[in-house]
Amino acid sequence: AQFRLAELIDQSGNPNRAFEAYQKLVEGYPQSREFERAIAAQLAIADDFMQRRRYERAGEMFSAILAAA
């Protein structure tokens, strides 16, 4: 359910909230079958922030991903 919630938030156009929703899954449910998909979605969001030159936020996101993976 957490993965689907994160997807819906992502589709609604709120990447910051989506990233945090994926992070909740990654941290709270590391054995989830959706773990790898959540990490991939987070990487896509962080990469988008890099492309938009929001380097500080992208760096925070990449750090969180590395800590969780």
Side-chain angles (χ1 to χ4, degrees):
Q2 183 64 37
F3 183 80
R4 184 65 183 134
L5 174 64
E7 279 187 318
L8 291 171
I9 294 169
D10 200 6
Q11 291 168 3
S12 76
N14 192 331
N16 276 306
R17 281 192 57 219
F19 186 90
E20 296 306 325
Y22 287 120
Q23 189 66 23
K24 186 174 180 180
L25 181 144
V26 167
E27 290 177 350
Y29 308 96
Q31 300 302 318
S32 169
R33 62 184 179 156
E34 304 295 352
F35 181 88
E36 289 184 21
R37 289 179 62 198
I39 292 289
Q42 285 185 306
L43 285 169
I45 292 169
D47 188 53
D48 184 55
F49 273 74
M50 285 292 289
Q51 297 298 320
R52 293 188 288 145
R53 301 179 188 264
R54 297 196 48 204
Y55 301 121
E56 185 174 343
R57 181 63 177 136
E60 293 168 356
M61 290 175 169
F62 284 122
S63 292
I65 294 165
L66 287 172

